[in-house]
Amino acid sequence: MQAKDSNPPDGGYGWVVVVSAFVVMGLTVAVLKTFGLFFVEIQQHFDELASTTSWITSVTIAMFHLGAPVASSLCVQYSHRTVVITGGLLTFSGMALGFFGLNMVWMYATTGFLQGLGISFSWTPAISIVSHYFSKKRALANAIASAGECAFAFMFGPFFQWLISQYGWKGALLIIGGIQLNICVCGALMRPLASSCLTASDCKTETPPGNGASRRDKEDKSAIMHKTFNWMLVRRPEFVLYAIFGILAAMSFFVPPLFLVPLSYSLGIDESWTASLLSILALVDFGGRLLCGWYANLHVTRTIHLLAMTITLISTSLMLLPLANNYLSLAIFTGFYGFFFGTTVAIHITVLADVVGMPEFDSALGLFMFIRSTGGFVGPPLAGLIVDMAGDYRAGFYMAGATLVLSAGFLVILDRLQQRKKRGSKIRTKPEKSTLPYPSLHLLKHQ
């Protein structure tokens, strides 16, 4: 593989990669977001509590995050393409084996463990390679790619409901698994970027002596430096603060989609109308991502400030959503929540790249997802426990909103730390006042 250019192309074949990532997002996270349609079916089939059934989603989310460092390391050792194809095979295996539905432990191991690991191996390299292909347009490219989960979730809501009614929840899992095999096709289209080769021998090019050779040596050293996964990011205060934000956000993000369907059932809303709520959620989520990605690409507002604002708005929406008492009010509050959720997801990976820089991005993404897994693992069961104790699905939404408010505080602390370091850097690099451009003026000053 020849390295022809050390700069991201910001277009060209990169848009093919974006479209491929768009589909991967849809066949992974969109399935996870609409799994709430299976929640009641599985709960009734095994006659279990909400907290027990929610562990299926909890295990899926945990493996989605825990597998990220492994996926990132494999990307470094092999390629993004190989890891995405492997993820497609794992997601299919999880759903296909879940078809047998032997018991709850079996569901944890298949639609939980295998499906979650497959999502991680598909999602992590897909979103990573998009960031490598784009620099100036990175926020917009990430927003478009991440919008895939919204576009697919919009269709998956009524489609999954129809599959369950026609083939039962077990048959629906098998069919969905077959559809997820298309992840392998998308992975095959993710051509490695020439400038992101991972070994010194791969990165050597025919360059003339002089400055060209010097530049080649720097690129070779950079390639060798990124050959291994960097665990030392945990020593950087900025990364730690952003990771804590990620933990608290993950505790909240997966709760509303999980309990939205049961909440609507508890209000006496018909199943067909309930499925439309998920479509509304996906539609406004899609709009929020594209709008926020476009706005972030204008570089009018710092991305971390934009993220803090969207987190505050999404937490407010979650606090208001339980006030709904009929389909119309529930649809309105769901729309507000979905829109602000979309704006948040559109830029949170871009903020991570801004915090650590692109040379460490692959390692940072995997490590960030790994640390954030604790929030995804604890959030749904904790919300399920609160729901069981309160006897009302509304309690889960209050818990999610309160946790997001707390997470916004860590973004504020991170921003202040970055500003302080930036000011300190300016002071250290500021030239001394006694240094004047002309010797004669320097002499006049001392006369």
Side-chain angles (χ1 to χ4, degrees):
M1 181 169 56
Q2 299 294 317
K4 297 179 182 178
D5 190 1
S6 62
N7 297 317
D10 263 317
Y13 193 81
W15 293 116
V16 176
V17 174
V18 169
V19 172
S20 298
F22 179 92
V23 177
V24 170
M25 299 301 111
L27 296 178
T28 54
V29 185
V31 173
L32 180 58
K33 287 177 67 174
T34 51
F35 198 78
L37 290 168
F38 292 88
F39 185 89
V40 176
E41 299 289 336
I42 296 174
Q43 182 182 10
Q44 291 177 350
H45 179 82
F46 293 107
D47 192 22
E48 295 286 355
L49 295 172
S51 55
T52 304
T53 308
S54 65
W55 275 103
I56 298 175
T57 302
S58 180
V59 172
T60 307
I61 296 168
M63 291 312 303
F64 172 28
H65 291 80
L66 288 172
V70 180
S72 294
S73 298
L74 291 174
C75 287
V76 173
Q77 295 297 324
Y78 300 101
S79 69
H80 295 79
R81 170 187 285 168
T82 302
V83 181
V84 172
I85 292 174
T86 303
L89 295 175
L90 286 171
T91 53
F92 164 73
S93 300
M95 286 298 203
L97 291 174
F99 163 78
F100 296 100
L102 303 180
N103 49 51
M104 287 301 295
V105 176
W106 179 264
M107 299 305 296
Y108 298 155
T110 56
T111 55
F113 180 85
L114 283 178
Q115 172 79 336
L117 191 62
I119 291 174
S120 182
F121 276 36
S122 304
W123 186 93
T124 306
I127 204 68
S128 173
I129 197 170
V130 169
S131 293
H132 281 289
Y133 262 92
F134 291 85
S135 177
K136 295 179 181 179
K137 300 177 182 177
R138 184 176 298 142
L140 180 61
N142 278 328
I144 294 173
S146 69
E149 67 180 78
C150 314
F152 278 76
F154 177 76
M155 299 180 290
F156 282 170
F159 178 57
F160 285 5
Q161 189 75 59
W162 179 81
L163 286 178
I164 293 171
S165 64
Q166 293 294 315
Y167 304 101
W169 66 270
K170 292 184 179 180
L173 287 181
L174 183 60
I175 295 171
I176 294 168
I179 295 172
Q180 286 179 309
L181 278 174
N182 287 286
I183 293 172
C184 299
V185 179
C186 296
L189 292 173
M190 292 181 178
R191 187 171 68 196
L193 184 63
S195 61
S196 64
C197 46
L198 302 170
T199 64
S201 60
D202 287 338
C203 292
K204 288 181 180 179
T205 57
E206 296 292 335
T207 54
N211 293 334
S214 176
R215 183 175 62 184
R216 183 196 65 189
D217 292 340
K218 290 181 180 179
E219 290 177 0
D220 292 350
K221 290 178 181 179
S222 177
I224 295 171
M225 184 173 63
H226 295 96
K227 192 176 178 180
T228 57
F229 191 84
N230 185 8
W231 294 92
M232 293 299 102
L233 286 166
V234 294
R235 295 184 178 181
R236 293 177 56 175
E238 299 94 333
F239 178 78
V240 172
L241 287 170
Y242 197 70
I244 295 174
F245 155 75
I247 292 172
L248 295 172
M251 287 181 64
S252 308
F253 282 167
F254 297 98
V255 172
L258 184 63
F259 292 116
L260 182 61
V261 172
L263 175 62
S264 66
Y265 287 162
S266 68
L267 295 175
I269 298 173
D270 185 73
E271 290 184 3
S272 59
W273 288 103
T274 298
S276 70
L277 287 175
L278 297 178
S279 297
I280 292 172
L281 182 64
L283 184 63
V284 294
D285 187 351
F286 182 83
R289 293 183 194 222
L290 294 184
L291 182 61
C292 190
W294 167 80
Y295 180 76
N297 198 58
L298 298 177
H299 303 289
V300 176
T301 306
R302 290 183 62 212
T303 51
I304 191 170
H305 292 168
L306 192 57
L307 181 60
M309 288 188 289
T310 59
I311 286 291
T312 303
L313 291 169
I314 193 176
S315 61
T316 303
S317 302
L318 285 175
M319 292 291 193
L320 294 174
L321 192 145
L323 299 178
N325 55 11
N326 53 48
Y327 173 79
L328 180 60
S329 57
L330 188 60
I332 292 173
F333 286 124
T334 297
F336 280 114
Y337 157 72
F339 180 81
F340 295 127
F341 177 83
T343 59
T344 299
V345 175
I347 57 171
H348 80 289
I349 296 298
T350 303
V351 173
L352 176 62
D354 293 340
V355 170
V356 301
M358 279 311 298
E360 301 291 353
F361 178 71
D362 280 334
S363 294
L365 179 60
L367 195 55
F368 174 74
M369 296 294 290
F370 176 79
I371 296 172
R372 200 177 75 165
S373 65
T374 54
F377 189 71
V378 171
L382 178 60
L385 179 62
I386 293 174
V387 166
D388 288 336
M389 293 174 61
D392 192 342
Y393 288 108
R394 293 180 175 88
F397 292 91
Y398 288 127
M399 168 261 178
T403 308
L404 277 178
V405 171
L406 184 60
S407 73
F410 285 91
L411 288 178
V412 174
I413 297 173
L414 171 59
D415 179 54
R416 291 186 176 181
L417 177 62
Q418 287 181 317
Q419 292 299 317
R420 186 191 309 165
K421 286 192 172 184
K422 188 176 181 180
R423 287 194 297 268
S425 178
K426 286 182 177 180
I427 292 174
R428 287 192 297 270
T429 57
K430 188 175 181 180
E432 295 181 6
K433 292 182 179 179
S434 60
T435 303
L436 297 174
Y438 301 103
S440 57
L441 293 177
H442 184 74
L443 292 172
L444 288 171
K445 180 181 178 183
H446 290 84
Q447 290 179 354

